[in-house]
Amino acid sequence: MGSLTDASDTASPYMDSLASDVATYDGKQYDIVKEGLATILNPRPSSSTKNTERERTTATPLQTVFYNPIQQFNRDLSVLAIRIFGDDLTSIRRARQEKRPHDSKAKAAAGKKRKRAEDCSSDQLPRLADKEPLETVNGASHQYTTSETSYLHSNREESLSLSGKVVSYPLQTVEIYQSPPDTGLSHPNSKIETASGAGISQPSPEHASIPQVVKPFSADGNHETKPIPRSFRVLDALSATGLRALRYAKEIPCVTSVTANDLSASATDSIKLNVQHNGLSGEIYTVTGNALEHMYKIGAAAYGAYEAMPDGSRGRYEVIDLDPYGTAAPFLDAAVQALADNGLLCVTCTDSGVFASVGYLEKTYAQYGGLPSKGPQSHEAGLRLILHAIATSAARYGMAIEPLLSLSIDFYARVFVRVRRSAAEVKFLAGKTMLVYNCDHGCGAWNTQFLANNKVEKNKKGDEFYKYIPAQAPAASPNCEHCGFKTHLCGPMWGGHLHNPFFIQRILDELPSLSKETYGTLPRIEGMLSIALEESLLDSAQEGMTRKSEKAQTEQETICRLDPSRPDKYPFFIIPSVLAKVLHCVAPSDAALRGALINLDYRVRRSHTKPGTIRTDAPWTVIWEVMREWVRQKAPVKDGAIKPGTAGWAIMRKERPRAIITELKEQLLSIMEKADDFETAKVQIEAALFKSGRPLDKSTEEAATTRVSLDRTEGDRKTLKVVFDEKVGKDVGSKKLVRYQLNPKPNWGPMTRAKGGS
């Protein structure tokens, strides 16, 4: 493991001067960069440093420690997401603490445990019955009742260093862990309270801080147990300048400690300087070492390897943030193991040329376990590949994921995933993993196939249970049913929902109270989250939500969970201009196409990944029928514009007049084969001709305006009444939002990798 270091709590002894935008430390000049409530010192390149031609032309100087101002949106959003997640986790923990039993049965059970403890050897156990002190730290005696020791046992991840003893009970175990070697770390919880309420300082880190147990006497003389504070620890695994760690410590109230790790010694030196500059020496701990090694050791410590965290505490991190230069795939396995139950995993991947392009599909499969998609939906498919990699990594250890927010932003992807230990929910993963048959060289249509079906059945008693059934294959023919072109395989990829709308709404509710000076990207955050909230195709705000059990109601979850067994049946989106390109016609406006689908009683949404997108639950059969009607009603195609053998030519051959003629021809041939005499055949032919030219009656016209079922037949398709009503498709009264980002400056992007020393 890398060395554990931290800056001094005192002011900088080697600070020479400080200007408004330039600071000098130990004879070196630094640019002061302020973001949020934190400031960082970015080293200025020396005059002898030679920049490349690209760096000179783009005004991007060579960096010794990587810092990209373009990703401020990423950092602002991360602060808000972790804050909302922390509030939810705190509410759940508080509810669990308040649920501790105080009835007579619990007291009776506690008495039996106390009696068993008295029967054990006194040199092995503390005397709980007569309330002898368990341990003395800096002169303060702390007594733990049976209920408290049971609490510490059930939450051993929160137990902190005391004296190195392991106290064993017949029915329970309270582990008191050895504090880490003296590394010069200071601990934020440097004060403990005794039963009398007096505060006793801890002048040195001989012992890590312990949970505060405040036990005032009530009127009847009994002790009133108050909740033991719980830690909220964050790991910034690839910290660079430490800007994320600084902002998390300053701007998220529930955070108790932040670990900033980086493999580069120059980066951790920069982090120490920035931590000292911001006055956060007791809250941020730096680690110089491999992020994989650190996370694996923290994960192994929970299984008894006795590896303390940099702050001296035990257990796993509540939040782990992975923001590498490139892909995060190599870090996922270690991250899920170092994450606490119900923890939050924040992942950034900047290799969009891999996960959102077919140019390196062999590399995509090696890193993410699936093949990418070609076409406008490639970035959403990339998000699903990243989630698939996280889900399969977690499933190996009995953990299930719930994506709270998944965004394709500029040149990278950012996902926020809640990970919970649940062997039952892991069983749903196959039913939420899908393959995609993509007509990427033809009309652009796709078909999805899930690997399994999560089916609800009832036993003899009427109780519901899940049955996991393998899916039938294949879900589509090798050739596209619409244009006849060959389809290509994508995936496997995540087939569940990309977002939790309740989580997004919580962030949106928080935005009006925030300062635009602190969060400079608030307008874009509001716009992108509003689209992400709208793009869900749940039937209502409650559809897909897990029925709150008695336990969930007691825990007071503020972020409701979606049903973990339900897949997303309507992934991806369409773009009107792309559809029109296939048919060589003028593109319909977004409002016109949306209005036509809404009139057919289909739902339409936007996608956050690209402007001008439409997410809908309409099948491709209906989508192409609507486009054929667009050509017939609004935008006729010039003769010869559609060449034979193209996808558009095959699609337009299925237009309604041609379909009617084809059906009539089939009917006439059938009549001629079955007719016994000429007169009978004549009557049947006249009836068929009359029927083919008869206008729709009122009942048929009303039926045509009703919703088309997903299994509509070819005959039903011809009765659709398509109306391109732009008034219906427009967002009436919607707030003007910055939904899609414009380029902030010329030649912007992921920037070059830092060239600092190791």
Side-chain angles (χ1 to χ4, degrees):
M1 186 175 181
S3 60
L4 305 180
T5 56
D6 193 26
S8 171
D9 289 328
T10 61
S12 171
Y14 52 90
M15 180 175 178
D16 299 330
S17 63
L18 179 64
S20 58
D21 56 352
V22 178
T24 302
Y25 279 81
D26 198 22
K28 297 180 180 179
Q29 287 190 333
Y30 300 87
D31 291 323
I32 299 178
V33 180
K34 180 174 176 58
E35 184 178 299
L37 297 180
T39 56
I40 63 170
L41 303 176
N42 203 15
R44 281 192 163 190
S46 62
S47 57
S48 60
T49 303
K50 295 182 179 180
N51 294 332
T52 64
E53 180 64 25
R54 179 180 182 274
E55 290 162 349
R56 287 194 296 268
T57 57
T58 60
T60 304
L62 181 67
Q63 298 187 88
T64 56
V65 179
F66 184 79
Y67 167 70
N68 190 353
I70 298 301
Q71 288 204 15
Q72 182 181 354
F73 174 80
N74 186 332
R75 291 183 285 268
D76 286 351
L77 181 62
S78 299
V79 170
L80 298 179
I82 296 175
R83 177 188 292 184
I84 297 301
F85 172 80
D87 292 344
D88 180 71
L89 186 61
T90 301
S91 300
I92 294 175
R93 286 175 167 179
R94 185 183 300 113
R96 288 178 179 176
Q97 179 68 24
E98 294 173 353
K99 200 179 66 173
R100 291 172 59 188
H102 295 286
D103 57 359
S104 58
K105 292 183 180 180
K107 291 181 179 179
K112 292 180 181 179
K113 295 178 182 178
R114 187 179 297 111
K115 189 175 187 314
R116 291 192 181 100
E118 292 174 351
D119 295 337
C120 297
S121 173
S122 60
D123 60 345
Q124 296 178 356
L125 300 174
R127 290 176 290 175
L128 297 179
D130 52 359
K131 298 274 186 181
E132 283 290 325
L134 171 66
E135 190 64 49
T136 302
V137 180
N138 293 339
S141 299
H142 295 272
Q143 307 174 75
Y144 292 90
T145 63
T146 305
S147 60
E148 293 165 354
T149 55
S150 176
Y151 172 82
L152 291 175
H153 169 64
S154 62
N155 299 274
R156 70 175 58 185
E157 289 187 0
E158 313 305 329
S159 302
L160 304 180
S161 305
L162 288 178
S163 65
K165 297 180 181 179
V166 178
V167 185
S168 301
Y169 293 84
L171 298 179
Q172 57 196 21
T173 300
V174 180
E175 299 186 13
I176 307 174
Y177 301 102
Q178 179 69 41
S179 57
D182 188 3
T183 58
L185 295 179
S186 59
H187 301 278
N189 300 326
S190 58
K191 193 179 215 181
I192 55 177
E193 291 187 14
T194 61
S196 61
I200 300 177
S201 301
Q202 286 183 285
S204 64
E206 287 183 352
H207 306 280
S209 56
I210 66 172
Q212 299 178 14
V213 182
V214 185
K215 299 177 67 62
F217 286 95
S218 60
D220 57 1
N222 296 325
H223 287 288
E224 294 180 351
T225 303
K226 291 189 176 181
I228 300 177
R230 303 287 294 273
S231 61
F232 191 91
R233 297 154 296 195
V234 181
L235 171 64
D236 185 8
L238 305 150
S239 197
T241 61
L243 179 56
R244 287 179 183 272
L246 294 169
R247 295 195 60 182
Y248 294 163
K250 274 183 169 287
E251 300 174 27
I252 305 176
C254 63
V255 169
T256 58
S257 69
V258 181
T259 301
N261 176 87
D262 203 283
L263 183 62
S264 170
S266 62
T268 52
D269 289 341
S270 176
I271 295 171
K272 295 174 195 175
L273 182 61
N274 289 326
V275 168
Q276 179 179 325
H277 182 74
N278 285 267
L280 296 171
S281 299
E283 300 175 37
I284 299 178
Y285 305 89
T286 59
V287 178
T288 304
N290 192 311
L292 291 173
E293 180 184 9
H294 178 73
M295 290 188 288
Y296 275 127
K297 285 189 175 182
I298 293 299
Y303 295 100
Y306 304 104
E307 180 74 23
M309 283 192 175
D311 65 351
S313 65
R314 285 296 311 274
R316 300 180 176 95
Y317 290 103
E318 279 70 27
V319 177
I320 294 180
D321 193 330
L322 301 176
D323 186 16
Y325 191 93
T327 179
F331 304 97
L332 297 179
D333 183 82
V336 295
Q337 295 187 63
L339 195 64
D341 188 20
N342 287 300
L344 181 67
L345 181 61
C346 313
V347 178
T348 299
C349 292
T350 62
D351 58 330
S352 57
V354 175
F355 65 73
S357 169
V358 295
Y360 306 95
L361 60 86
E362 72 285 354
K363 189 173 183 180
T364 309
Y365 184 81
Q367 291 182 344
Y368 300 104
L371 297 176
S373 175
K374 184 179 181 180
Q377 70 276 11
S378 61
H379 286 269
E380 180 178 333
L383 282 174
R384 294 184 179 276
L385 287 173
I386 296 170
L387 292 173
H388 170 71
I390 300 174
T392 52
S393 297
R396 297 185 185 99
Y397 306 101
M399 292 179 278
I401 73 166
E402 178 192 2
L404 300 180
L405 182 62
S406 308
L407 298 176
S408 174
I409 308 167
D410 301 334
F411 55 87
Y412 61 92
R414 181 68 167 171
V415 298
F416 300 88
V417 178
R418 179 161 55 184
V419 181
R420 75 170 35 87
R421 301 180 185 277
S422 174
E425 292 187 15
V426 171
K427 297 178 181 179
F428 298 132
L429 181 57
K432 294 192 294 184
T433 302
M434 68 180 183
L435 297 171
V436 180
Y437 300 94
N438 186 25
C439 183
D440 47 11
H441 291 292
C443 65
W446 63 79
N447 282 301
T448 60
Q449 176 175 348
F450 291 89
L451 302 185
N453 295 322
N454 302 322
K455 187 177 181 181
V456 179
E457 294 191 355
K458 293 184 178 181
N459 57 21
K460 295 181 180 180
K461 296 182 180 180
D463 299 328
E464 293 184 348
F465 68 96
Y466 280 98
K467 189 173 182 180
Y468 310 99
I469 304 172
Q472 294 183 352
S477 62
N479 292 355
C480 176
E481 62 176 305
H482 308 288
C483 67
F485 277 60
K486 293 181 179 179
T487 59
H488 293 92
L489 193 64
C490 311
M493 63 181 66
W494 174 258
H497 294 284
L498 295 178
H499 319 292
N500 183 317
F502 303 97
F503 178 74
I504 298 175
Q505 188 61 58
R506 283 287 312 279
I507 300 179
L508 289 173
D509 293 341
E510 190 79 10
L511 297 185
S513 63
L514 300 177
S515 169
K516 292 185 178 180
E517 295 181 358
T518 303
Y519 301 94
T521 61
L522 275 184
R524 190 185 178 193
I525 290 176
E526 182 182 10
M528 181 165 280
L529 292 187
S530 298
I531 299 178
L533 180 64
E534 295 171 1
E535 72 179 336
S536 173
L537 283 170
L538 299 175
D539 287 338
S540 65
Q542 299 297 323
E543 180 182 337
M545 188 176 70
T546 302
R547 296 176 183 174
K548 282 197 170 185
S549 61
E550 183 178 349
K551 177 180 179 181
Q553 291 176 355
T554 305
E555 291 181 354
Q556 299 178 352
E557 290 184 352
T558 58
I559 303 173
C560 298
R561 296 177 55 200
L562 301 182
D563 189 340
S565 67
R566 291 173 61 100
D568 185 357
K569 296 181 179 179
Y570 314 110
F572 308 132
F573 51 82
I574 59 175
I575 299 179
S577 59
V578 175
L579 300 178
K581 185 178 180 180
V582 175
L583 301 181
H584 296 272
C585 67
V586 177
S589 64
D590 294 354
L593 187 55
R594 288 162 60 91
L597 294 173
I598 292 173
N599 282 328
L600 295 174
D601 203 21
Y602 287 104
R603 292 171 290 169
V604 293
R605 303 287 189 271
R606 285 190 178 91
S607 172
H608 76 277
T609 57
K610 285 182 181 294
T613 55
I614 299 177
R615 293 177 67 94
T616 179
D617 56 352
W620 274 101
T621 302
V622 173
I623 292 172
W624 282 126
E625 181 60 33
V626 170
M627 287 302 299
R628 280 188 289 265
E629 279 297 292
W630 168 258
V631 171
R632 187 180 69 85
Q633 297 180 24
K634 305 289 185 178
V637 179
K638 295 181 180 179
D639 294 337
I642 305 178
K643 297 180 180 180
T646 62
W649 182 79
I651 290 172
M652 291 305 297
R653 279 179 59 85
K654 297 181 180 181
E655 60 182 334
R656 294 189 184 188
R658 185 176 295 277
I660 294 174
I661 294 173
T662 302
E663 183 182 6
L664 178 60
K665 181 179 178 180
E666 293 175 352
Q667 291 179 358
L668 294 178
L669 290 175
S670 177
I671 291 173
M672 297 300 294
E673 291 176 356
K674 297 179 180 180
D676 296 333
D677 54 74
F678 178 77
E679 292 297 330
T680 303
K682 180 181 177 181
V683 172
Q684 293 179 350
I685 290 173
E686 290 177 349
L689 291 173
F690 176 77
K691 183 178 179 181
S692 64
R694 184 180 58 187
L696 296 174
D697 57 24
K698 186 176 181 180
S699 61
T700 306
E701 186 175 356
E702 292 177 353
T705 61
T706 61
R707 173 168 178 163
V708 186
S709 62
L710 297 182
D711 58 349
R712 179 172 292 279
T713 63
E714 183 70 16
D716 294 326
R717 179 182 62 79
K718 292 177 297 190
T719 63
L720 286 176
K721 184 178 181 181
V722 181
V723 178
F724 297 95
D725 192 342
E726 293 191 357
K727 293 182 179 180
V728 176
K730 285 184 178 179
D731 294 328
V732 180
S734 61
K735 182 180 178 181
K736 290 185 178 180
L737 300 171
V738 183
R739 292 185 171 91
Y740 302 99
Q741 172 73 3
L742 299 177
N743 291 350
K745 65 178 184 179
N747 302 311
W748 68 286
M751 297 178 63
T752 55
R753 189 187 296 269
K755 304 295 184 182
S758 59

